[in-house]
Amino acid sequence: REREAERERQRRQTEGMRGRHGSGFVSLNDITWLDNKVTQSTYIMSVDEVNYWDTVDTPINRIRSYLTDREWWDDGQEKELRSVTRTEILRAFKEAETTKLPNPLLMFDDAWDTLPPALEDQKQELIEHLKKYPEHYPLDKCEEMK
């Protein structure tokens, strides 16, 4: 029910609106693009222009400007979000670094109940290869191979 209500809300928001590409969907990028009255052109940009578009006039900067102009976002919220997000990312990195990697042989187990002979041969070749060149693979960081 919540999902249907959300879809209905989105439908109503975009009803009658057309994205700049005529898709019928209006993204926040489209809104900021329309709001800033940017026009498209066909000339080739200089390196300085490309750098400008890559660093200054990015979709993130445009949406930030859009939101701050309407007082829906401010520098305090930005600073808090960056701090919280950084903490979450560092925690996720730490967790990921302590988690064992999957056993590389598991890639053969997902699609078939019984491996076809060609895949069985490939699996054996991989086992032999991993045994022959263990110094090139972090098998000590993987779940135990069976």
Side-chain angles (χ1 to χ4, degrees), residues 82-115:
R82 286 180 181 271
S83 174
V84 168
T85 304
R86 178 173 165 63
T87 302
E88 289 176 8
I89 289 170
L90 291 174
R91 187 180 59 233
F93 273 139
K94 189 174 273 189
E95 182 181 327
E97 289 169 349
T98 61
T99 302
K100 289 269 190 188
L101 298 172
N103 176 338
L105 300 178
L106 289 177
M107 71 177 136
F108 294 98
D109 296 342
D110 285 344
W112 303 91
D113 284 335
T114 305
L115 280 180

Side-chain angles (χ1 to χ4, degrees), residues 4-99:
E4 290 174 18
E6 177 64 18
R7 284 186 182 155
E8 178 62 19
R9 185 186 64 75
Q10 289 173 346
R11 187 190 65 73
R12 286 183 184 166
Q13 281 181 334
T14 58
E15 193 172 75
M17 298 174 72
R18 305 286 300 164
R20 73 172 185 250
H21 303 294
S23 65
F25 295 99
V26 179
S27 70
L28 290 175
N29 192 39
D30 288 333
I31 292 169
T32 60
W33 184 86
L34 292 169
D35 191 54
N36 293 330
K37 296 167 183 62
V38 175
T39 59
Q40 292 180 336
S41 61
T42 57
Y43 74 97
I44 296 174
M45 291 190 284
S46 70
V47 172
D48 290 339
E49 287 175 296
V50 171
N51 288 336
Y52 170 80
W53 289 106
D54 282 345
T55 58
V56 178
D57 194 13
T58 66
I60 291 172
N61 289 343
R62 287 198 308 271
I63 192 65
R64 182 185 298 115
S65 177
Y66 178 83
L67 294 173
T68 54
D69 288 350
R70 286 152 183 79
E71 298 180 357
W72 297 342
W73 191 251
D74 61 38
D75 290 338
Q77 290 171 301
E78 179 95 14
K79 188 175 180 180
E80 182 182 345
L81 177 65
R82 286 180 181 271
S83 174
V84 168
T85 304
R86 178 173 165 63
T87 302
E88 289 176 8
I89 289 170
L90 291 174
R91 187 180 59 233
F93 273 139
K94 189 174 273 189
E95 182 181 327
E97 289 169 349
T98 61
T99 302

